[in-house]
Amino acid sequence: MKRENQEKKSSRKILITLILTVFLILGSFVFFIAARISQEMSQSAIGNLSESLELLKGTIEVLYQREAEYQKLIAEELSIISYPEEFILSYDRNSTLVKMSLVFTGETEGISNTGEPFYPEELDFSNEETVDDLPVSVSYINDMGTWAYTIKCPVTKDGREIAWLYVEYIYDSFDKALPDRLYNGSATLYIMDGKTERFLLKPKGIGERDAGHLNLQDFYRANEILEEDIQQKVAESISHNGNMMFYHKIRSKDSLIYMWAVNGGSVYLIGYVPVEAIQREGNAVNQNILIVVIFMLSTFFICCIVFYLYERQQNKFRQEREAERELHNEQLGQALRAAQAANNSKTTFLSNMSHDIRTPMNAILGFTTLLAKDADNPAKVREYTRKLTASGQHLLSLINDVLDVSKIESGKAVLTIGEFRLNSVISSVDAIIRPAAKDRGQNFDIQVTGIRHEYLVGDETRLNQILINLLSNAVKYTQEGGSIWLRIIGLEQRSGQYEHIRIEVEDNGYGMTQEYLQVIFDAFTRAENSTTNKVQGTGLGMAITKNIVELMGGTIEVASEVDKGTIFTVDLELRISEQEEDSRFWKNHGISQILVVDDDPDVRESIQALMEDTGVLTDTLQDGEAAVEALQNADCGEKSYQMVLLDWKMPGIDGVETARRIRREIAEDIPILLLTAYDWDEIEEEAREAGIDGFLTKPFFVSALKEKILELTVREEEHIWNTGEESGLEGEHFLVAEDNEINAEILEELLSIEGADCEILENGELVVERFANAQPGEFDAILMDVQMPVMNGYEATRRIRALEREDAASIPIVAMTANAFAEDVKEALNAGMNAHVSKPVDMEVLKRTIKELKRRG
């Protein structure tokens, strides 16, 4: 027995040594091949790209050369004709040469073919770049709004300079000469001015057309080229009019970035191309990979044969000990099953949490990305912030629900009752669900009909949870390209104090069997079939949803058919809020009559019902032609409309074309809003050109319309301020309430830049005490944060206004907070503040606000 064990150990050592040796040889061979492939790819990439860039460079320099030669011919023509001014004035612009000007020697003003005076000192030739010995100006944006450059050429007669010919060319003309596609469209190419480092042109058809690449620094940020040493080398190369290439990862792909000088560095070809797109040695790579694979398979096959022979020899010994092993394995199996049972309980719990938590988390991550992209757009920042807040609050509520699921099932959970707007619920749900549906190519439609009261009383968070649980399941269990509907239907009221609401969530997805419908509301259950098994999820969501619906005194039902879809129906009765519509809002904004145009009769009826209590007369029409005719008749008679709401998708002429006709044929000053359930970004440019002032997302709510009116008012005021004279903050002294140290440091630095100083305190109570002890006129204004410990900004403002000081009622107090909704502005003004500036602070807005307050004072 002892000898047998020794022989067994010896055989194993031999086998292990053999396998290790084979795989060591295999690894060395693979490493050698990989190194050779990498070297070939690198050399091929640089060579191919250099050749392509030289061709592009040559093309552009030929264009420069032809332009210079052509201009010299025109200069010769001007030197021999009697009236060169008439020649200039008669010359028509074309797609390349857009402006021709002539300045006689010794004069500071010339003539142009456009008929306008020409002043040569307005052009910058300080870069000292030339084309065929003719000076070339620094690039600039011309009167057509496109990047251009000017070449000047002397006009000589009898060996004497008599004038200078200036010809303006546009960079867009390069588009026709450059190739339509570069490396099958995977390369990105820009043309950059060598002196200003501004991007002048991106040829059509070459790579993705990324918005926001205005200059070289934008290019760095967009592609995460943040290394200072690389940027320094690029700067040195550009300063010496040299070429440069370097590798960098762009969007997780190894790319070759190039900076290629054209015309002695007057312009540069800037861009990048994925390395994989310019590999000339693709066949060699594939052949080498095939060799490696064949070698690996052969080695593995040899190892298998050796292992098989070894196992065959050892099989005799296994049979003798089989009985003993079976007993031992049975004992181990029992212990393993006990451990797996405990582990499965933990796994089930964690997997069940993922379904409900991931939905709002995806929305948070998505809007965070959008927030970084649109950080310079205050309107979108406010919109994304609001949606992020809604998603974050919902995520927090989900976590609490998962942790308290036992409390819900035991009946110990309670509702948090409060006033809320139905519009806020639908907006927050839409912000979470629509991106998820869009990612799967699904149509998501929201319909609200029959609702007569927007302000309700109930648990907003629980209602949010019901909707998101149902809709997120609909998204997950509906095939790509499917459709999902959310319907909020106002039913006949059983009591005048309650709004009877029916919620329907329908999809045309995979559906469920009748057997599963019997247990769908049980905890930790989920339909099982070949399709849904591919979708991760839990059975906790429906159980919680049913419990919440019943806790709110409602009912939930489900109907489904396999491969046809599912519909969930929830009936709830929610108390109507006693909040009354503020009719002064409409009077203050001069709105007494509006026109609504929509081809859906349910939408028209719903808008009329919701606007009934506002005191605003609401007329409705079903198509654009009728709307134009109605506005024409109103314009001719005594009847007038102060606002028009247009549906985008209508038979006949759509909303955009209707707006265009209204602006052209009737009035330019009447506000026009577009009603749409689609993505505004798809039509924003066309809508703005047609004269549309903004959009409202369907379904329609009065509060959303009021917010849009406030937004238009603020935009108009900002336009008025922008056209006025700007004023700085030089010498101003502010008292600032700010509890965040980082925000305080940033504000202090911004004010210092403007020549102002400030005293910062961390809560409202300290601000009140400091102002009470201050000398009259010591502070020019108070910048008040709203959310602070000890005492918030609203209460602090009320305390200051109540002080027995002559300047307590007159000192300007500006709300400076991230709470930037219409309700927040109203609350700040009601507390006694004079104005509202949203965070992040825009110093231009703050300066205009202070200036306006001084003017009023």
Side-chain angles (χ1 to χ4, degrees), residues 222-363:
N223 299 299
E224 297 184 354
I225 307 173
L226 307 178
E227 296 84 352
E228 293 185 1
D229 57 335
I230 293 180
Q231 296 185 15
Q232 181 64 31
K233 291 180 181 178
V234 171
E236 292 176 359
S237 178
I238 293 177
S239 66
H240 292 90
N241 301 330
N243 302 327
M244 184 176 180
M245 288 186 185
F246 60 92
Y247 289 98
H248 201 279
K249 277 192 177 295
I250 296 181
R251 297 174 185 171
S252 302
K253 290 185 178 180
D254 289 325
S255 301
L256 192 55
I257 301 171
Y258 54 86
M259 312 281 179
W260 214 256
V262 178
N263 193 39
S266 61
V267 295
Y268 269 80
L269 300 176
I270 304 292
Y272 64 87
V273 58
V275 174
E276 60 187 18
I278 50 175
Q279 295 175 1
R280 290 191 305 181
E281 305 298 333
N283 293 333
V285 171
N286 294 333
Q287 183 178 0
N288 291 333
I289 292 175
L290 180 62
I291 293 173
V292 171
V293 171
I294 293 174
F295 185 83
M296 290 176 62
L297 291 175
S298 301
T299 305
F300 181 74
F301 180 73
I302 294 173
C303 292
C304 289
I305 293 177
V306 174
F307 182 75
Y308 171 76
L309 295 175
Y310 174 79
E311 283 295 309
R312 186 176 181 182
Q313 181 182 1
Q314 296 297 318
N315 195 36
K316 298 178 182 179
F317 303 104
R318 295 195 186 99
Q319 292 177 357
E320 295 176 355
R321 300 177 182 177
E322 191 64 35
E324 181 181 353
R325 290 179 179 176
E326 286 180 357
L327 178 60
H328 183 62
N329 288 340
E330 180 63 27
Q331 294 172 346
L332 292 176
Q334 292 176 358
L336 178 61
R337 284 190 291 272
Q340 287 177 337
N343 187 61
N344 288 339
S345 298
K346 179 192 71 173
T347 302
T348 301
F349 176 74
L350 293 176
S351 63
N352 284 326
M353 286 197 302
S354 68
H355 166 257
D356 293 305
I357 291 177
R358 289 181 187 226
T359 302
M361 180 57 73
N362 287 338

Side-chain angles (χ1 to χ4, degrees), residues 254-535:
D254 289 325
S255 301
L256 192 55
I257 301 171
Y258 54 86
M259 312 281 179
W260 214 256
V262 178
N263 193 39
S266 61
V267 295
Y268 269 80
L269 300 176
I270 304 292
Y272 64 87
V273 58
V275 174
E276 60 187 18
I278 50 175
Q279 295 175 1
R280 290 191 305 181
E281 305 298 333
N283 293 333
V285 171
N286 294 333
Q287 183 178 0
N288 291 333
I289 292 175
L290 180 62
I291 293 173
V292 171
V293 171
I294 293 174
F295 185 83
M296 290 176 62
L297 291 175
S298 301
T299 305
F300 181 74
F301 180 73
I302 294 173
C303 292
C304 289
I305 293 177
V306 174
F307 182 75
Y308 171 76
L309 295 175
Y310 174 79
E311 283 295 309
R312 186 176 181 182
Q313 181 182 1
Q314 296 297 318
N315 195 36
K316 298 178 182 179
F317 303 104
R318 295 195 186 99
Q319 292 177 357
E320 295 176 355
R321 300 177 182 177
E322 191 64 35
E324 181 181 353
R325 290 179 179 176
E326 286 180 357
L327 178 60
H328 183 62
N329 288 340
E330 180 63 27
Q331 294 172 346
L332 292 176
Q334 292 176 358
L336 178 61
R337 284 190 291 272
Q340 287 177 337
N343 187 61
N344 288 339
S345 298
K346 179 192 71 173
T347 302
T348 301
F349 176 74
L350 293 176
S351 63
N352 284 326
M353 286 197 302
S354 68
H355 166 257
D356 293 305
I357 291 177
R358 289 181 187 226
T359 302
M361 180 57 73
N362 287 338
I364 291 173
L365 295 177
F367 283 116
T368 301
T369 302
L370 293 176
L371 188 63
K373 178 182 177 183
D374 296 320
D376 295 330
N377 189 329
K380 289 192 175 182
V381 168
R382 287 192 293 268
E383 177 187 356
Y384 295 156
T385 302
R386 176 175 60 83
K387 293 179 179 180
L388 279 170
T389 301
S391 300
Q393 289 174 345
H394 177 68
L395 179 60
L396 179 60
S397 68
L398 287 178
I399 294 173
N400 291 334
D401 285 341
V402 171
L403 296 176
D404 294 338
V405 64
S406 61
K407 182 186 294 184
I408 294 175
E409 293 179 343
S410 65
K412 296 180 180 180
V414 295
L415 298 175
T416 303
I417 304 299
E419 291 186 353
F420 67 94
R421 290 182 303 160
L422 193 57
N423 178 37
S424 298
V425 175
I426 294 177
S427 296
S428 62
V429 170
D430 182 76
I432 294 173
I433 297 301
R434 190 170 295 279
K438 188 176 181 180
D439 289 344
R440 292 174 58 83
Q442 298 167 342
N443 298 318
F444 179 43
D445 186 31
I446 301 177
Q447 301 172 5
V448 177
T449 56
I451 299 296
R452 304 188 64 85
H453 299 89
E454 180 181 352
Y455 293 90
L456 303 171
V457 177
D459 192 330
E460 182 180 4
T461 300
R462 298 296 190 186
L463 183 58
N464 239 322
Q465 188 173 352
I466 292 171
L467 292 173
I468 292 178
N469 279 351
L470 296 176
L471 287 168
S472 60
N473 274 343
V475 171
K476 288 190 352 179
Y477 295 105
T478 299
Q479 68 278 4
E480 294 188 2
S483 298
I484 299 165
W485 297 269
L486 169 61
R487 304 184 189 94
I488 310 293
I489 305 169
L491 303 180
E492 183 178 355
Q493 292 178 256
R494 297 170 181 157
S495 169
Q497 297 179 341
Y498 288 86
E499 184 83 25
H500 191 187
I501 294 177
R502 171 166 291 174
I503 300 170
E504 291 182 354
V505 175
E506 183 179 1
D507 64 73
N508 60 355
Y510 307 134
M512 294 174 283
T513 64
Q514 295 302 312
E515 293 78 8
Y516 180 66
L517 289 178
Q518 304 301 318
V519 296
I520 185 174
F521 295 116
D522 294 341
F524 309 120
T525 59
R526 177 172 169 266
E528 298 288 338
N529 60 56
S530 60
T531 303
T532 60
N533 282 345
K534 300 176 183 178
V535 183

Side-chain angles (χ1 to χ4, degrees), residues 49 52 56 178-190 202-210 251 253 255 258 271-278:
L49 186 56
S52 299
L56 293 176
L178 296 176
D180 292 335
R181 295 174 64 84
L182 188 61
Y183 293 106
N184 295 322
S186 61
T188 299
L189 175 65
Y190 297 92
K202 180 165 186 183
K204 297 177 181 178
I206 300 184
E208 300 176 358
R209 301 185 69 82
D210 300 322
R251 297 174 185 171
K253 290 185 178 180
S255 301
Y258 54 86
Y272 64 87
V273 58
V275 174
E276 60 187 18
I278 50 175

Side-chain angles (χ1 to χ4, degrees), residues 809-837:
S810 60
I811 185 169
I813 302 179
V814 179
M816 196 172 58
T817 172
N819 301 336
F821 302 133
E823 294 85 353
D824 301 312
V825 177
K826 182 178 180 181
E827 187 172 0
L829 297 177
N830 290 339
M833 300 184 188
N834 302 93
H836 180 283
V837 175

